[in-house]
Structures are given as structure tokens and as C-alpha cells.
Amino acid sequence: MKHKKSFFLTLFFAAAMLLPLSGCGETDYFQYVSDCRSDLFLARTEDFEVTVSCLTREYPFAQDGYAGALGKTVEATLVENTLSDATYEIYFLEDVPRGGEMSFRSVSSDRYYSRGVEEFPKDTISLRIVRDGKSQEIAATSVKNQKTLSPFAALEFALSAEKDAVKKLTSGNRFAGELHVRLIRRDKNYYYVGIVDRNKRTVCMLLDSETGKVLARREKLD
């Protein structure tokens, strides 16, 4: 009897995990996320810094209050310590290395490369950087630690802090807007959460990445 009871308890908790985090019969706000940066990988050398971002984003991307179909992309940016006119290529060293030439962006003075993926990397990424034909291999490491909240957990903290704004955009189990959740790195990790309505008004929040506390808030019109 004891084993039988344990078996049914296991089934109960397994079924509970499959329910939407927003609760049974309530709005599943996670389906309205149109832009999610779930991880960042960093690598530094004497000459440059490389950042690889893991993005789940609608395409084409537009901050218009509507969430579209999503796709997974990795984006790499390279910033030189001393700006030069060198040509850079980047390759992700998987079973079959994939990559290519990085384009220079004059506005941000960095090199950029992106490609679609089926799955995101974890923990570390092995990269080959080619500068004017000369290559070197480096490892980019995730900025996340064991205390870093998941994007979904960060979103729940943000929605809880903005109950009134969220309520105004919710009718029944539908949400008239889109949500952005981005892991960012400055002196430490933070989360940016944006709530965008159909008039392109955005409530922007900066959250502590480990506690979910809202550190800053502002509103803007795009």
C-alpha cells in the first residue's frame, strides 16, 4: 500500500508540472513572449572581446504589441580593444564547424554574425576566430550561475510587480500585448523585461537576475 501511495503521488506531481505556470484556466503570458535572450557567453583575449547571445525571437521582429512565430538564433559580436580595419570570421566548433565572415557595424563599432540553430549551447562554446587569415581557438563561457533565474521566473517577478498594467491588457485569457525578456551583463547579470501594448507603449524594467527584485522602471513610447 505504501508503494502504491508513493506511485500515485509521483504521478500527481508529474502532472502538476505540465500545467501552465500562470495557473489552470488563466492567461498563459509566456506564449506572448516575442523576444527572449536566455543566455550570454563571453570570451576575452588581449585583442578583443566576443559575446554570443542565445535568442528566441519572432521574425520579422517588430515591437508592435503582437507576438509572432518564434525562431532560435545565436548572435555573435566582437569588439576590438583597439579598433582596426581587419577582417574577422567566426566559426562554432561543433561536429561540423559552422560560421562565416563577421560584418562591421559602424554605429556600434563592432563585428557581427548570426545564424539559426535547433538547440542552444550550454556552459561553454568552442570558437575559432580568424583575423585577416590568422586563426585562434577560444572558449566562451556562460555568464549564468546556479543562482541565476530562468527567463520565465524573471518574467513572473516582473508581471507580479506590474499587476495593474498587465490587468488592463488582459481580457479573459487573452493578453493584448507582447513581452520581452533579456538576460544582460554589465557589472553583473540583470534581466530586462518589457511589456509592450498595441499602441507601442512599453513598460521597461531592470531586475536583479538572482532575486527578481525590480531595480529600475520607466515607460516609453516607440
Side-chain angles (χ1 to χ4, degrees), residues 11-143:
L11 284 180
F12 171 79
F13 285 115
M17 291 296 289
L18 296 176
L19 293 175
L21 293 180
S22 55
C24 182
E26 298 179 4
T27 306
D28 180 7
Y29 291 102
F30 299 149
Q31 68 177 309
Y32 296 95
V33 174
S34 63
D35 180 25
C36 178
R37 183 193 295 149
S38 55
D39 209 345
L40 288 169
F41 295 79
L42 298 181
R44 294 183 179 89
T45 73
E46 295 180 354
D47 301 314
F48 55 78
E49 177 177 300
V50 175
T51 303
V52 177
S53 303
C54 297
L55 304 172
T56 304
R57 177 178 286 175
E58 66 179 2
Y59 183 83
F61 177 65
Q63 298 187 62
D64 55 7
Y66 295 87
L70 303 176
K72 291 183 177 180
T73 304
V74 290
E75 292 184 348
T77 58
L78 183 149
V79 179
E80 292 181 300
N81 294 338
T82 302
L83 189 60
S84 74
D85 58 359
T87 298
Y88 281 89
E89 300 167 51
I90 186 170
Y91 296 93
F92 293 76
L93 303 182
E94 300 164 319
D95 293 338
V96 179
R98 284 181 282 182
E101 185 173 341
M102 306 185 81
S103 58
F104 179 72
R105 301 190 296 187
S106 57
V107 174
S108 50
S109 297
D110 62 9
R111 272 78 173 180
Y112 174 82
Y113 174 84
S114 70
R115 69 176 180 87
V117 295
E118 294 293 329
E119 299 293 336
F120 290 134
K122 295 180 180 179
D123 301 326
T124 61
I125 306 174
S126 296
L127 302 170
R128 178 181 297 126
I129 306 297
V130 183
R131 182 182 189 273
D132 288 340
K134 296 181 179 180
S135 66
Q136 67 179 113
E137 294 187 5
I138 59 176
T141 305
S142 172
V143 302

Side-chain angles (χ1 to χ4, degrees), residues 156-170:
E156 285 194 316
F157 277 108
L159 295 179
S160 178
E162 290 293 322
K163 288 180 181 178
D164 291 341
V166 173
K167 185 177 180 180
K168 290 178 182 178
L169 298 176
T170 304

